[in-house]
Amino acid sequence: MTGRKRKNTKYVMGLDVGTTKVCAIIGQQDDDGSLSVLGVGSTPSLGLKKGIVIDIDQTVESIQKAVQKASNIAGVEMHDLVVGIAGGHIQCHNSRASVEIVNPSRGVTRSDIVRVNSRAKALAMPVDREILHSIPQEYVTDSGSVKNPKGQVTTKLEVNVHIVTAAVTSVQNLMRCVKQAGYNTNGILLESIASSEAILHEEEKELGVLLIDLGGGTTDIAIFSRGHIRYSGVIPLGGDNITNDIAYILKISLFDAENVKKKYGCAMASLARPEEIFTVTKVVNDKKETVKRQELADIIDARLEEIFHLVRERINATSVHDKFYAGVVITGGSALIEGIAELGEKVFECPCRVGIPHGLKGMTSVVSSPIYATGIGLMRHGFTDALNQPPNGNGLYDWIQKNLLRLLSFFK
Ligand SMILES: Nc1ncnc2c1ncn2[C@@H]1O[C@H](COP(=O)(O)OP(=O)(O)OP(=O)(O)O)[C@@H](O)[C@H]1O
Ligand SMILES: [Mg+2]
């Protein structure tokens, strides 16, 4: 630790283990409560497919590299982190439960709130799945819907919760990677929730907003309205599919396709001029050929429209499909494609913007990119960890049991 700042509880690290990159972000909470980014370390991710760990050793190596880079820049040695999770195994649903209040005149107590929440998440869960988050949306008392029922006089307390479940093996593999890399998992958070904490404004969550995190291997979606998450889901398609399409149609290498996409790509042919052209090298005969930017836009447009229509299909099946009055916010690395917001507006028929992390100090020129939305959200979550805190009261037993089981699984 020579020459380094001492470990301090005011530092938090977010770790985004994505399909294309692993990114560690170290932040510090200043005395006035504001957050400063002290270090960012990003390295290519080689051990994941569609958001799921498929190679532990490669993932461990990427985590170590990313954390070391971030630590060197920050001058802080970190041991604990908040890690993000995604992948097609993630499922969500809304649940409702109610309890009688034994002594209504005394008002709702903390233990009543714990009791109703425990009941809402007491689900028949297959052995291969676990509850990742159980997020209270709103409480209902005799006088109607309330955000915080504590102290309210009522005979009955109801709660609506958003429950996110994950495959036990996927969670354990991710945590195993973090542990083998030499770090402690202090919290685990659904990536779309993490991104939302970095890029959405409270007013958007209140009015209703659809968040789309277009990464490399997955597209994570979440709907917020009246301040709370209403739907979350993961579609196993992303920017890598666009790169594959470009390589296949233009008959060029994946490496060239990725570069061409980043350099000349746009989401709609109407945004490119007919005279805009670029040169590619064909894989078969190594010959150079010119391609119109509009042709490239057509390839990208087709795949993006497919992804957006899949998003629409998913949300049309929910009860909140028409509740995003604040529009759509697109983030993740693929949100850097020129014209993506315009395409989003066309498909979703509402206002659409690209979401970048906001409200931060330090390294803003680096992290003001949709690529860092998840990492920043995870770091931010570390300071306001509401979802993974051990609840007081009856829930403490559940928390200890769940986390002890997780810990023991490493030694099996
Ligand atoms: N300038 C750019 N233009 C277009 N696409 C880009 C650009 N920069 C990055 N991308 C694409 O963004 C994708 C990676 O995004 P991101 O870093 O958010 O993914 P990830 O978090 O690693 O993956 P996932 O969230 O799917 O597990 C890749 O497909 C990459 O090609
Ligand atoms: Mg991601």
Side-chain angles (χ1 to χ4, degrees):
M1 287 271 297
T2 341
R4 291 184 164 230
K5 291 176 195 167
R6 288 171 70 81
K7 191 183 160 222
N8 185 312
T9 48
K10 275 172 127 191
Y11 300 121
V12 168
M13 175 160 63
L15 181 72
D16 174 11
V17 185
T19 309
T20 47
K21 53 112 191 29
V22 173
C23 170
I25 299 185
I26 298 173
Q28 180 192 32
Q29 188 153 44
D30 299 329
D31 290 339
D32 61 358
S34 58
L35 296 186
S36 294
V37 177
L38 301 182
V40 177
S42 190
T43 184
S45 172
L46 304 170
L48 268 84
K49 196 170 179 195
K50 302 217 168 284
I52 295 171
V53 176
I54 53 157
D55 186 323
I56 299 230
D57 291 343
Q58 297 256 38
T59 309
V60 168
E61 205 182 311
S62 304
I63 293 175
Q64 284 170 335
K65 278 188 189 157
V67 175
Q68 271 155 24
K69 272 189 201 173
S71 294
N72 287 341
I73 296 170
V76 180
E77 197 148 312
M78 298 292 295
H79 302 288
D80 301 331
L81 52 84
V82 179
V83 67
I85 189 163
H89 62 102
I90 299 287
Q91 289 171 6
C92 82
H93 68 271
N94 294 322
S95 170
R96 171 184 275 245
S98 69
V99 292
E100 300 292 327
I101 304 299
V102 188
N103 187 352
S105 58
R106 206 179 62 183
V108 172
T109 62
R110 200 185 153 79
S111 98
D112 293 327
I113 300 173
V114 170
R115 203 155 50 93
V116 76
N117 276 303
S118 305
R119 190 169 285 187
K121 64 176 193 182
L123 308 164
M125 185 73 58
V127 282
D128 58 346
R129 297 199 67 77
E130 67 173 287
I131 294 181
L132 204 57
H133 305 306
S134 166
I135 309 164
Q137 294 168 323
E138 68 247 311
Y139 296 90
V140 184
T141 64
D142 293 348
S143 40
S145 173
V146 290
K147 267 196 174 161
N148 181 4
K150 196 156 174 273
Q152 299 257 350
V153 175
T154 180
T155 58
K156 205 168 94 175
L157 178 66
E158 273 181 24
V159 68
N160 294 323
V161 293
H162 184 71
I163 292 184
V164 180
T165 67
V168 171
T169 47
S170 297
V171 176
Q172 286 183 351
N173 280 333
L174 180 64
M175 292 181 68
R176 189 175 290 245
C177 291
V178 174
K179 184 165 175 63
Q180 279 188 21
Y183 307 102
N184 306 319
T185 303
N186 233 358
I188 184 161
L189 183 63
L190 186 65
E191 287 178 5
S192 54
I193 298 180
S195 301
S196 78
E197 293 195 12
I199 60 160
L200 294 184
H201 299 283
E202 287 309 313
E203 306 81 61
E204 286 175 325
K205 288 190 194 171
E206 206 53 56
L207 259 178
V209 65
L210 166 63
L211 169 96
I212 303 177
D213 184 332
L214 250 167
T218 64
T219 298
D220 305 342
I221 44 182
I223 299 177
F224 292 80
S225 86
R226 282 177 285 133
H228 291 284
I229 187 161
R230 305 285 159 180
Y231 174 79
S232 55
V234 180
I235 291 170
L237 290 175
D240 293 350
N241 297 88
I242 302 174
T243 305
N244 286 341
D245 293 346
I246 297 169
Y248 183 76
I249 294 169
L250 297 184
K251 299 183 177 52
I252 58 176
S253 70
L254 280 173
F255 182 82
D256 287 355
E258 179 73 9
N259 285 338
V260 155
K261 176 179 82 171
K262 288 182 180 167
K263 207 163 171 195
Y264 306 106
C266 69
M268 290 198 284
S270 57
L271 296 172
R273 291 191 308 277
E275 68 275 15
E276 285 183 285
I277 52 165
F278 58 92
T279 310
V280 294
T281 308
K282 298 281 171 183
V283 168
V284 211
N285 51 15
D286 227 17
K287 277 201 177 141
K288 293 205 182 311
E289 255 181 41
T290 54
V291 178
K292 280 189 169 191
R293 201 171 164 229
Q294 285 183 335
E295 192 187 332
L296 177 67
D298 281 334
I299 301 170
I300 297 174
D301 181 346
R303 182 59 87 168
L304 281 176
E305 284 207 31
E306 184 203 0
I307 294 175
F308 285 167
H309 279 112
L310 284 171
V311 172
R312 267 193 89 135
E313 257 174 43
R314 283 280 187 98
I315 58 176
N316 278 347
T318 71
S319 57
V320 282
H321 61 93
D322 55 350
K323 296 279 190 302
F324 36 100
Y325 302 109
V328 178
V329 180
I330 306 174
T331 194
S334 301
L336 286 167
I337 297 174
E338 188 191 326
I340 196 147
E342 287 85 339
L343 183 69
E345 287 186 356
K346 194 181 105 186
V347 176
F348 295 102
E349 297 168 313
C350 66
C352 195
R353 72 172 177 93
V354 170
I356 56 171
H358 61 84
L360 295 160
K361 294 200 286 190
M363 300 189 75
T364 42
S365 58
V366 179
V367 295
S368 293
S369 160
I371 284 189
Y372 295 114
T374 306
I376 290 288
L378 291 166
M379 182 271 282
R380 191 183 279 270
H381 187 77
F383 291 107
T384 55
D385 189 359
L387 300 181
N388 295 290
Q389 285 281 330
N392 293 330
N394 301 340
L396 185 62
Y397 171 75
D398 292 345
W399 189 88
I400 292 171
Q401 193 189 40
K402 184 179 159 198
N403 287 282
L404 204 62
L405 283 175
R406 226 176 228 175
L407 206 66
L408 289 173
S409 71
F410 287 121
F411 301 105
K412 272 182 191 164

